[in-house]
Amino acid sequence: MTNALVVKAANLIRNGDIAGAEFALVSLAETEGDYALVAALETLPPKDLLAVIREYDTSKESVVNLVVTPEQFARAVVMERLYGDHSHVRLRGMINAVLFRDDSQTGEFIEAIGDVDGGCEALIDYLSDRDEEVVHFVTYDTFNVNRMEEGDEVDKAEISDRDWKELTWLLKHEHADMFEQIWPVLKKRMKERLKREAEQELLEQQAQEPQERRERPAAGAAPAAVADSGEESAL
């Protein structure tokens, strides 16, 4: 029964019917229990498991997301990087949905991601659009880039957003070895990004200058005539 359902789910996934595949897996959990589903997910190819997990819908609870193990999920997270989603929207949705599903297992999921090749790189992508705040947090323990005084530090309760702030706090304070692999890369990327932005701004300014010179009257030029010389003055 289990093998047949796994084959069915895999075929549905390959045919693009992700909802049908998830329904088949949920049916297995309902008939044989969660442990049977966990075992089935272990035999499911990582790319197929990823296909189900990355369809995360915030409007409903996914049974697969609830029972997937840290090791299974870590493999799926690394594979997500192969999709080339430069916005990393799905990656963030996946990680948030599973990592924070159960506070007692959050640390296990983080460790599992760190243990698999490419795991820290996936977390770097996850935090990529928050590079400045993360780098600031390294030194000042606050995400507010305008605060740099002693006493500005935030504790976990203040940033328990089940999102990037909470994950960054956990990485720094509870998974320091992983964080040491992550934040220097983010800092390097941030410097490169700021350099590109500065260069782009300079190019835009230089392109604007000729236009401004064309519109500006030349030095010593006579002012435009107010009235036609042939007209009599009203005075």
Side-chain angles (χ1 to χ4, degrees), residues 8-52:
K8 178 182 179 181
N11 287 333
L12 288 169
I13 290 168
R14 292 187 182 93
N15 290 327
D17 187 359
I18 307 301
E22 184 172 12
F23 180 79
L25 294 170
V26 170
S27 298
L28 175 62
E30 291 175 346
T31 57
E32 299 186 32
D34 289 349
Y35 288 109
L37 177 54
V38 171
L41 295 181
E42 192 62 41
T43 64
L44 200 65
K47 62 183 180 60
D48 291 343
L49 176 59
L50 170 62
V52 176

